Amino acid sequence: MRMAFVFHVLFPLLIVLGFWAAYAIVRRTQERRAAWESGLTAQARVVRAWVTVQMVNNVARRIQWHEYDFTTAGGLAVRFKEPGGPANREPGDETLVYYADDEPDKATACEPRPGKDMFGTVLGLGILGAAAVILIKVTIQHW
């Protein structure tokens, strides 16, 4: 009964979750690229900074978060949150943000690094793809 649950429910659920994660990686990469390529920038103020801790294989992984406020060239006030960024960036600090005119809420305060961004995307998709292939093969063998 337990094995049936693993192969008929858990593994397919993990496969779907992997495809969702791949979609999220590609979507965020496209949003960042659109923001960088738009040529639109604004001076933003750090509203809030905080750290979350994620346990991965019993190792604590710190994730620095920032919340930013800025005004677009069209006068629209925008607030967005973004993981990453320098740990020494504190509330009240000013920084440059990149945004696309059609989606200013998908802005980024990260400096343009298209090569590094693409490498991370390809690596993430490769790992998720390998995991999906393994899960699919094992699931098919046990059906």
Side-chain angles (χ1 to χ4, degrees), residues 33 36 112-122:
R33 180 174 293 151
W36 290 332
R113 308 168 289 173
K116 187 175 181 181
D117 212 39
M118 187 54 67
F119 176 77
T121 300
V122 170

Side-chain angles (χ1 to χ4, degrees), residues 32-134:
R32 287 164 58 116
R33 180 174 293 151
W36 290 332
E37 291 177 354
S38 73
L40 298 172
T41 60
Q43 204 59 28
R45 183 177 55 86
V46 179
V47 177
R48 203 167 60 128
W50 70 99
V51 174
T52 58
V53 178
Q54 200 175 45
M55 294 301 288
V56 178
N57 295 330
N58 291 328
V59 176
R61 179 176 169 226
R62 290 184 63 224
I63 301 171
Q64 180 74 43
W65 284 83
H66 296 97
E67 186 171 4
Y68 301 95
D69 263 347
F70 73 97
T71 304
T72 65
L76 179 67
V78 178
R79 180 175 283 193
F80 72 98
K81 298 175 188 169
E82 185 176 47
N88 62 352
R89 194 175 282 167
E90 296 181 4
D93 289 352
E94 299 258 332
T95 189
L96 187 66
V97 295
Y98 302 83
Y99 68 96
D101 197 33
D102 56 338
E103 289 185 307
D105 58 319
K106 308 292 186 200
T108 182
C110 294
E111 291 293 321
R113 308 168 289 173
K116 187 175 181 181
D117 212 39
M118 187 54 67
F119 176 77
T121 300
V122 170
L123 181 65
L125 292 176
I127 291 169
L128 289 170
V133 167
I134 292 168

